Amino acid sequence: QKEVEQNSGPLSVPEGAIASLNCTYSDRGSQSFFWYRQYSGKSPELIMFIYSNGDKEDGRFTAQLNKASQYVSLLIRDSQPSDSATYLCAAGAGRRALTFGSGTRLQVQP
Amino acid sequence: KAGVTQTPRYLIKTRGQQVTLSCSPISGHRSVSWYQQTPGQGLQFLFEYFSETQRNKGNFPGRFSGRQFSNSRSEMNVSTLELGDSALYLCASSSGRVGSTDTQYFGPGTRLTVL
């Protein structure tokens, strides 16, 4: 069974710190990877996608992909209380449906 | 560009009834995927429709069905509702092209409560 694994958390970081969220996947055929943020009671909101090894930066967010290790991460710099949410990692391959992890709950302490 | 819309936003039904949920994708998007999200099971894939054809299907019983219309709008139907069907049902829209960057954008969801 193709799986995406995430630590459920909560991951607690102080305001202004770097939050590091991690995700591993089992399907080596996965080609594209997505990070979604989901506030309680709301639907997932796309933050970033990445499909090449290395880093991809967008504002305070950096996604990192290491296909050899089957590992994806999301770094949030200068974390703010408004970043407190559940972060979902998803992996996709061609026409197959996305596979989502169960999410990591992030708490940013003021 | 308008986002993904889902109707209704909230539904309360009783066991044994059936329900139909609707999703309108982003203009120009041809693929619609449906997910069920519960606290215990997380985000579970139901099915995906592309150009009125079911392209992928998750591991749900036949009580869960869907369809897509020529304007890409999609509906999902759940028959003979069970208590365990209470969940947030999410629709996600994507362009549908085959490739490594077909990003999905979620609608606000329909919260279904089965009593």
Side-chain angles (χ1 to χ4, degrees):
Chain A
Q1 181 167 341
K2 300 169 177 54
E3 292 183 348
V4 174
E5 301 285 344
Q6 294 182 258
N7 188 316
S8 61
L11 172 66
S12 186
V13 300
E15 184 175 354
I18 296 175
S20 177
L21 304 160
N22 305 315
C23 167
T24 59
Y25 60 96
S26 63
D27 181 9
R28 286 197 172 273
S30 297
Q31 302 162 333
S32 48
F33 304 87
F34 304 85
W35 283 100
Y36 289 85
R37 176 176 63 197
Q38 186 172 24
Y39 293 111
S40 180
K42 302 294 186 182
S43 63
E45 170 193 11
L46 179 73
I47 297 175
M48 294 187 69
F49 65 84
I50 185 168
Y51 54 94
S52 298
N53 273 330
D55 295 1
K56 179 180 179 182
E57 188 174 317
D58 184 0
R60 296 187 297 113
F61 300 96
T62 299
Q64 299 175 318
L65 173 60
N66 183 325
K67 289 186 178 179
S69 301
Q70 295 177 247
Y71 179 89
V72 191
S73 66
L74 178 70
L75 301 178
I76 306 175
R77 289 181 299 281
D78 188 23
S79 295
Q80 301 297 309
S82 59
D83 295 325
S84 298
T86 296
Y87 289 79
L88 301 169
C89 171
R95 290 187 175 183
R96 290 207 299 268
L98 285 183
T99 301
F100 281 84
S102 57
T104 298
R105 189 156 63 94
L106 172 66
Q107 293 178 341
V108 180
Q109 306 294 336
Chain B
K1 220 181 215 187
V4 182
T5 59
Q6 290 187 247
T7 56
R9 293 293 309 281
Y10 303 91
L11 264 180
I12 299 176
K13 293 285 187 178
T14 56
R15 280 181 298 173
Q17 287 187 308
Q18 75 166 17
V19 67
T20 299
L21 313 181
S22 180
C23 171
S24 292
I26 293 169
S27 177
H29 282 190
R30 297 167 63 192
S31 171
V32 173
S33 297
W34 288 90
Y35 296 86
Q36 180 196 67
Q37 188 174 39
T38 59
Q41 297 297 318
L43 204 59
Q44 302 286 312
F45 173 73
L46 282 155
F47 28 66
E48 180 204 2
Y49 285 87
F50 173 77
S51 291
E52 301 179 66
T53 301
Q54 188 179 86
R55 189 158 74 170
N56 282 298
K57 187 177 187 305
N59 190 26
F60 275 80
R63 300 186 297 108
F64 292 82
S65 63
R67 59 177 174 168
Q68 186 179 36
F69 303 95
S70 58
N71 62 357
S72 294
R73 188 177 71 85
S74 176
E75 289 181 348
M76 68 162 282
N77 185 278
V78 188
S79 62
T80 319
L81 285 166
E82 301 177 358
L83 295 179
D85 297 333
S86 294
L88 179 66
Y89 289 87
L90 293 159
C91 157
S93 160
S94 63
S95 65
R97 69 178 182 273
V98 176
S100 59
T101 56
D102 195 17
T103 305
Q104 292 190 5
Y105 299 90
F106 284 88
T110 294
R111 172 77 60 184
L112 172 65
T113 302
V114 182
L115 303 177

